Amino acid sequence: MKTNLDVIIAHNKPKAEAFLSEVEGKNPLFIATIATTETGKIPGLSAAGQNPDFTDFTPPADAELLLLGKCKSIQGVPITPDGIPTPGLITMSALNLADIPVVIANAGCKVKPQVPFIELGGNSGRDIRTGNSVDNVEEVIERAKTAGQQFAKTSDYLVIGESIPGGTTTALGLLSALGVNAEGKVSSTLPLNPHNLKTDVVRTGLKAAGEKFGSLNNNPIKAVSCMGDPMMPALAGLAIGAANQVPVLLAGGTQMTAVLALINALNPEVLCNIAVGTTRWVTNDATSDIEGIVSQFCDVPILAADLNFSESKIPGLQIYETGLVKEGVGAGGASIAAMAKMGDAVNKELLLKAIERNYSVLMSMK
């Protein structure tokens, strides 16, 4: 079912419609939570992992793209080895069309972005196969809560996205530690989702930590420390801090199910003010199951921006329709927020034109 916006309701229609009606015409703040993890460098795990050292530059470059309309940490725009542009291009285009302000939250990057950002005190994550992947989880959550409380005072609602290569594997790690069955259900930047590799990585990490499936369901801090990534405590803290005051749209794909599971373990009462905003490519993905993960532990609604690049003149955008990339940097949530704020003035066709225009400008800078 659809509203009059180009938004698909993928899960819990009544709550999704209520959330949309609450935010339509309102002024959001977009927060991009950036981090890196050595897990993203495991060969074969993600599109980014095919060029391991480049993954350290992707989140800061995404942050620069959102604030400056160009990247400083790299030339051009972050692309996969196949030439597919970062979904940050979608996010930037949507936020610019609707004049939505942006804050960058550094949750733990190896390379700092060359733009202003708030520092949440995290470090870059280690490989989850070590069973010891994230530092000072509790401190980051508390700092992020404080930030979320303050940001909630500045806007009608928050849209919080992420940029962290390898994040769907760490999502599987955290979900597994918390006892949520997500094997074969998390998404991938690749059209051939490497589920077996992800499962092996997670099982290796759990064994190294001396844990097993569900053994940390009553200890979410340790679950993140052992099997998560630095984005998770930061984003969960921001959401918890804000959702007591304003609606929060978690902008992302199956990575947001891990953040939801963490929020559910820490402060479940705020979930009534939270929704997930993703893309049609995620909700239609036959190799993952975002609804199947979420429905195991909460009834948070899932919305999807009905983006379609099949008519694009740019091959790098057309290829999104084959299942590559799908989501990231809050692309779906930013698109939903732009359409909710602007109504008929922003639809998927206008978004595509803006994305193509911005892509051409960025490619000319290379």
mmCIF file of all heavy atoms in Angstrom, residues 42-74:
data_model
loop_
_atom_site.group_PDB
_atom_site.id
_atom_site.type_symbol
_atom_site.label_atom_id
_atom_site.label_comp_id
_atom_site.label_asym_id
_atom_site.label_seq_id
_atom_site.Cartn_x
_atom_site.Cartn_y
_atom_site.Cartn_z
ATOM 1 N N ILE A 42 37.202 -7.563 5.214
ATOM 2 C CA ILE A 42 37.283 -9.000 4.940
ATOM 3 C C ILE A 42 36.939 -9.242 3.466
ATOM 4 O O ILE A 42 35.873 -8.835 3.001
ATOM 5 C CB ILE A 42 36.319 -9.785 5.847
ATOM 6 C CG1 ILE A 42 36.717 -9.607 7.320
ATOM 7 C CG2 ILE A 42 36.304 -11.269 5.474
ATOM 8 C CD1 ILE A 42 35.712 -10.174 8.306
ATOM 9 N N PRO A 43 37.823 -9.898 2.699
ATOM 10 C CA PRO A 43 37.574 -10.101 1.263
ATOM 11 C C PRO A 43 36.261 -10.835 0.996
ATOM 12 O O PRO A 43 35.941 -11.814 1.682
ATOM 13 C CB PRO A 43 38.775 -10.941 0.808
ATOM 14 C CG PRO A 43 39.839 -10.650 1.815
ATOM 15 C CD PRO A 43 39.135 -10.427 3.115
ATOM 16 N N GLY A 44 35.504 -10.326 0.030
ATOM 17 C CA GLY A 44 34.269 -10.977 -0.389
ATOM 18 C C GLY A 44 33.037 -10.599 0.391
ATOM 19 O O GLY A 44 31.931 -11.040 0.078
ATOM 20 N N LEU A 45 33.217 -9.744 1.420
ATOM 21 C CA LEU A 45 32.097 -9.426 2.303
ATOM 22 C C LEU A 45 31.193 -8.343 1.740
ATOM 23 O O LEU A 45 29.973 -8.386 1.890
ATOM 24 C CB LEU A 45 32.630 -8.987 3.666
ATOM 25 C CG LEU A 45 31.809 -9.340 4.892
ATOM 26 C CD1 LEU A 45 31.430 -10.814 4.903
ATOM 27 C CD2 LEU A 45 32.589 -8.991 6.148
ATOM 28 N N SER A 46 31.791 -7.331 1.113
ATOM 29 C CA SER A 46 30.980 -6.234 0.578
ATOM 30 C C SER A 46 31.667 -5.661 -0.649
ATOM 31 O O SER A 46 32.831 -5.947 -0.925
ATOM 32 C CB SER A 46 30.807 -5.137 1.625
ATOM 33 O OG SER A 46 32.000 -4.404 1.786
ATOM 34 N N ALA A 47 30.922 -4.812 -1.365
ATOM 35 C CA ALA A 47 31.498 -4.144 -2.531
ATOM 36 C C ALA A 47 32.696 -3.302 -2.109
ATOM 37 O O ALA A 47 33.713 -3.252 -2.798
ATOM 38 C CB ALA A 47 30.447 -3.277 -3.214
ATOM 39 N N ALA A 48 32.587 -2.659 -0.954
ATOM 40 C CA ALA A 48 33.690 -1.828 -0.462
ATOM 41 C C ALA A 48 34.916 -2.666 -0.141
ATOM 42 O O ALA A 48 36.043 -2.228 -0.315
ATOM 43 C CB ALA A 48 33.232 -1.058 0.773
ATOM 44 N N GLY A 49 34.697 -3.891 0.336
ATOM 45 C CA GLY A 49 35.787 -4.744 0.762
ATOM 46 C C GLY A 49 36.690 -5.225 -0.362
ATOM 47 O O GLY A 49 37.751 -5.772 -0.115
ATOM 48 N N GLN A 50 36.247 -5.013 -1.626
ATOM 49 C CA GLN A 50 37.105 -5.402 -2.748
ATOM 50 C C GLN A 50 38.318 -4.478 -2.857
ATOM 51 O O GLN A 50 39.267 -4.770 -3.543
ATOM 52 C CB GLN A 50 36.282 -5.374 -4.041
ATOM 53 C CG GLN A 50 35.178 -6.430 -4.078
ATOM 54 C CD GLN A 50 34.338 -6.319 -5.330
ATOM 55 O OE1 GLN A 50 34.832 -6.010 -6.407
ATOM 56 N NE2 GLN A 50 33.049 -6.564 -5.195
ATOM 57 N N ASN A 51 38.256 -3.343 -2.199
ATOM 58 C CA ASN A 51 39.366 -2.400 -2.174
ATOM 59 C C ASN A 51 39.561 -1.981 -0.716
ATOM 60 O O ASN A 51 39.188 -0.879 -0.324
ATOM 61 C CB ASN A 51 39.011 -1.188 -3.057
ATOM 62 C CG ASN A 51 40.198 -0.273 -3.264
ATOM 63 O OD1 ASN A 51 41.273 -0.491 -2.709
ATOM 64 N ND2 ASN A 51 40.000 0.771 -4.046
ATOM 65 N N PRO A 52 40.131 -2.882 0.116
ATOM 66 C CA PRO A 52 40.041 -2.749 1.575
ATOM 67 C C PRO A 52 40.467 -1.405 2.142
ATOM 68 O O PRO A 52 39.761 -0.840 2.966
ATOM 69 C CB PRO A 52 40.940 -3.881 2.080
ATOM 70 C CG PRO A 52 40.908 -4.893 0.994
ATOM 71 C CD PRO A 52 40.822 -4.114 -0.284
ATOM 72 N N ASP A 53 41.617 -0.881 1.721
ATOM 73 C CA ASP A 53 42.099 0.354 2.327
ATOM 74 C C ASP A 53 41.189 1.541 2.027
ATOM 75 O O ASP A 53 41.129 2.512 2.786
ATOM 76 C CB ASP A 53 43.530 0.665 1.856
ATOM 77 C CG ASP A 53 44.518 -0.372 2.387
ATOM 78 O OD1 ASP A 53 44.237 -0.943 3.453
ATOM 79 O OD2 ASP A 53 45.541 -0.605 1.732
ATOM 80 N N PHE A 54 40.459 1.464 0.925
ATOM 81 C CA PHE A 54 39.574 2.552 0.532
ATOM 82 C C PHE A 54 38.416 2.716 1.516
ATOM 83 O O PHE A 54 37.853 3.797 1.657
ATOM 84 C CB PHE A 54 39.037 2.293 -0.884
ATOM 85 C CG PHE A 54 38.280 3.449 -1.474
ATOM 86 C CD1 PHE A 54 38.937 4.604 -1.854
ATOM 87 C CD2 PHE A 54 36.899 3.386 -1.645
ATOM 88 C CE1 PHE A 54 38.243 5.678 -2.402
ATOM 89 C CE2 PHE A 54 36.196 4.446 -2.189
ATOM 90 C CZ PHE A 54 36.874 5.598 -2.568
ATOM 91 N N THR A 55 38.070 1.630 2.228
ATOM 92 C CA THR A 55 36.913 1.692 3.124
ATOM 93 C C THR A 55 37.110 2.721 4.244
ATOM 94 O O THR A 55 36.129 3.266 4.745
ATOM 95 C CB THR A 55 36.599 0.315 3.766
ATOM 96 O OG1 THR A 55 37.687 -0.076 4.602
ATOM 97 C CG2 THR A 55 36.368 -0.742 2.709
ATOM 98 N N ASP A 56 38.354 2.986 4.625
ATOM 99 C CA ASP A 56 38.597 3.980 5.670
ATOM 100 C C ASP A 56 38.239 5.395 5.221
ATOM 101 O O ASP A 56 37.973 6.273 6.049
ATOM 102 C CB ASP A 56 40.065 3.957 6.111
ATOM 103 C CG ASP A 56 40.423 2.686 6.883
ATOM 104 O OD1 ASP A 56 39.503 2.068 7.449
ATOM 105 O OD2 ASP A 56 41.611 2.324 6.905
ATOM 106 N N PHE A 57 38.239 5.618 3.902
ATOM 107 C CA PHE A 57 37.965 6.951 3.364
ATOM 108 C C PHE A 57 36.496 7.149 2.973
ATOM 109 O O PHE A 57 36.058 8.285 2.786
ATOM 110 C CB PHE A 57 38.858 7.214 2.141
ATOM 111 C CG PHE A 57 40.309 7.346 2.482
ATOM 112 C CD1 PHE A 57 41.127 6.225 2.522
ATOM 113 C CD2 PHE A 57 40.865 8.579 2.787
ATOM 114 C CE1 PHE A 57 42.472 6.337 2.856
ATOM 115 C CE2 PHE A 57 42.206 8.704 3.117
ATOM 116 C CZ PHE A 57 43.009 7.576 3.148
ATOM 117 N N THR A 58 35.744 6.046 2.840
ATOM 118 C CA THR A 58 34.368 6.159 2.368
ATOM 119 C C THR A 58 33.468 6.955 3.313
ATOM 120 O O THR A 58 32.790 7.896 2.873
ATOM 121 C CB THR A 58 33.775 4.763 2.097
ATOM 122 O OG1 THR A 58 34.592 4.089 1.132
ATOM 123 C CG2 THR A 58 32.364 4.869 1.560
ATOM 124 N N PRO A 59 33.416 6.639 4.639
ATOM 125 C CA PRO A 59 32.535 7.427 5.512
ATOM 126 C C PRO A 59 32.887 8.924 5.576
ATOM 127 O O PRO A 59 31.983 9.758 5.466
ATOM 128 C CB PRO A 59 32.677 6.730 6.867
ATOM 129 C CG PRO A 59 33.063 5.319 6.519
ATOM 130 C CD PRO A 59 33.975 5.473 5.354
ATOM 131 N N PRO A 60 34.184 9.297 5.739
ATOM 132 C CA PRO A 60 34.469 10.737 5.732
ATOM 133 C C PRO A 60 34.123 11.402 4.403
ATOM 134 O O PRO A 60 33.636 12.540 4.383
ATOM 135 C CB PRO A 60 35.969 10.824 6.034
ATOM 136 C CG PRO A 60 36.515 9.459 5.836
ATOM 137 C CD PRO A 60 35.394 8.510 6.077
ATOM 138 N N ALA A 61 34.352 10.691 3.301
ATOM 139 C CA ALA A 61 34.005 11.259 1.991
ATOM 140 C C ALA A 61 32.498 11.447 1.864
ATOM 141 O O ALA A 61 32.019 12.442 1.310
ATOM 142 C CB ALA A 61 34.530 10.363 0.873
ATOM 143 N N ASP A 62 31.725 10.487 2.385
ATOM 144 C CA ASP A 62 30.264 10.626 2.387
ATOM 145 C C ASP A 62 29.844 11.858 3.193
ATOM 146 O O ASP A 62 28.953 12.615 2.779
ATOM 147 C CB ASP A 62 29.604 9.376 2.981
ATOM 148 C CG ASP A 62 29.506 8.222 1.995
ATOM 149 O OD1 ASP A 62 29.377 8.473 0.778
ATOM 150 O OD2 ASP A 62 29.541 7.059 2.434
ATOM 151 N N ALA A 63 30.478 12.056 4.346
ATOM 152 C CA ALA A 63 30.157 13.207 5.194
ATOM 153 C C ALA A 63 30.444 14.517 4.468
ATOM 154 O O ALA A 63 29.640 15.463 4.502
ATOM 155 C CB ALA A 63 30.956 13.135 6.500
ATOM 156 N N GLU A 64 31.585 14.563 3.801
ATOM 157 C CA GLU A 64 31.960 15.768 3.046
ATOM 158 C C GLU A 64 30.973 16.033 1.914
ATOM 159 O O GLU A 64 30.588 17.186 1.662
ATOM 160 C CB GLU A 64 33.382 15.610 2.506
ATOM 161 C CG GLU A 64 34.440 15.594 3.591
ATOM 162 C CD GLU A 64 35.719 14.869 3.204
ATOM 163 O OE1 GLU A 64 35.850 14.446 2.034
ATOM 164 O OE2 GLU A 64 36.582 14.711 4.087
ATOM 165 N N LEU A 65 30.545 14.970 1.261
ATOM 166 C CA LEU A 65 29.584 15.096 0.166
ATOM 167 C C LEU A 65 28.282 15.737 0.659
ATOM 168 O O LEU A 65 27.719 16.621 0.002
ATOM 169 C CB LEU A 65 29.304 13.714 -0.437
ATOM 170 C CG LEU A 65 28.382 13.641 -1.654
ATOM 171 C CD1 LEU A 65 28.964 14.412 -2.824
ATOM 172 C CD2 LEU A 65 28.146 12.184 -2.038
ATOM 173 N N LEU A 66 27.818 15.315 1.823
ATOM 174 C CA LEU A 66 26.556 15.843 2.349
ATOM 175 C C LEU A 66 26.653 17.326 2.694
ATOM 176 O O LEU A 66 25.713 18.082 2.478
ATOM 177 C CB LEU A 66 26.127 15.060 3.590
ATOM 178 C CG LEU A 66 25.781 13.582 3.405
ATOM 179 C CD1 LEU A 66 25.218 13.011 4.700
ATOM 180 C CD2 LEU A 66 24.798 13.360 2.262
ATOM 181 N N LEU A 67 27.781 17.736 3.254
ATOM 182 C CA LEU A 67 27.913 19.122 3.708
ATOM 183 C C LEU A 67 28.439 20.068 2.632
ATOM 184 O O LEU A 67 28.061 21.238 2.599
ATOM 185 C CB LEU A 67 28.840 19.200 4.920
ATOM 186 C CG LEU A 67 28.262 18.734 6.260
ATOM 187 C CD1 LEU A 67 29.232 19.038 7.388
ATOM 188 C CD2 LEU A 67 26.927 19.382 6.554
ATOM 189 N N LEU A 68 29.300 19.572 1.763
ATOM 190 C CA LEU A 68 29.958 20.453 0.786
ATOM 191 C C LEU A 68 29.463 20.262 -0.643
ATOM 192 O O LEU A 68 29.719 21.105 -1.504
ATOM 193 C CB LEU A 68 31.480 20.215 0.796
ATOM 194 C CG LEU A 68 32.201 20.397 2.124
ATOM 195 C CD1 LEU A 68 33.672 20.029 1.968
ATOM 196 C CD2 LEU A 68 32.051 21.823 2.636
ATOM 197 N N GLY A 69 28.784 19.139 -0.895
ATOM 198 C CA GLY A 69 28.404 18.827 -2.277
ATOM 199 C C GLY A 69 29.562 18.278 -3.078
ATOM 200 O O GLY A 69 29.476 18.089 -4.290
ATOM 201 N N LYS A 70 30.685 17.995 -2.404
ATOM 202 C CA LYS A 70 31.855 17.387 -3.051
ATOM 203 C C LYS A 70 32.679 16.722 -1.960
ATOM 204 O O LYS A 70 32.463 16.952 -0.765
ATOM 205 C CB LYS A 70 32.685 18.441 -3.786
ATOM 206 C CG LYS A 70 33.252 19.509 -2.867
ATOM 207 C CD LYS A 70 34.037 20.554 -3.639
ATOM 208 C CE LYS A 70 34.602 21.611 -2.684
ATOM 209 N NZ LYS A 70 35.367 22.659 -3.415
ATOM 210 N N CYS A 71 33.622 15.888 -2.361
ATOM 211 C CA CYS A 71 34.472 15.176 -1.400
ATOM 212 C C CYS A 71 35.855 15.806 -1.339
ATOM 213 O O CYS A 71 36.383 16.250 -2.357
ATOM 214 C CB CYS A 71 34.597 13.705 -1.797
ATOM 215 S SG CYS A 71 33.012 12.858 -1.919
ATOM 216 N N LYS A 72 36.428 15.834 -0.143
ATOM 217 C CA LYS A 72 37.803 16.303 0.029
ATOM 218 C C LYS A 72 38.768 15.155 0.289
ATOM 219 O O LYS A 72 39.912 15.195 -0.118
ATOM 220 C CB LYS A 72 37.866 17.307 1.196
ATOM 221 C CG LYS A 72 37.351 18.693 0.858
ATOM 222 C CD LYS A 72 37.724 19.666 1.964
ATOM 223 C CE LYS A 72 37.550 21.108 1.499
ATOM 224 N NZ LYS A 72 38.022 22.050 2.535
ATOM 225 N N SER A 73 38.277 14.125 1.009
ATOM 226 C CA SER A 73 39.147 13.002 1.381
ATOM 227 C C SER A 73 39.536 12.168 0.168
ATOM 228 O O SER A 73 40.560 11.489 0.182
ATOM 229 C CB SER A 73 38.442 12.114 2.416
ATOM 230 O OG SER A 73 38.244 12.810 3.612
ATOM 231 N N ILE A 74 38.693 12.184 -0.851
ATOM 232 C CA ILE A 74 38.979 11.485 -2.109
ATOM 233 C C ILE A 74 38.588 12.395 -3.260
ATOM 234 O O ILE A 74 37.910 13.400 -3.066
ATOM 235 C CB ILE A 74 38.185 10.156 -2.222
ATOM 236 C CG1 ILE A 74 36.682 10.458 -2.219
ATOM 237 C CG2 ILE A 74 38.555 9.194 -1.118
ATOM 238 C CD1 ILE A 74 35.827 9.286 -2.628
#
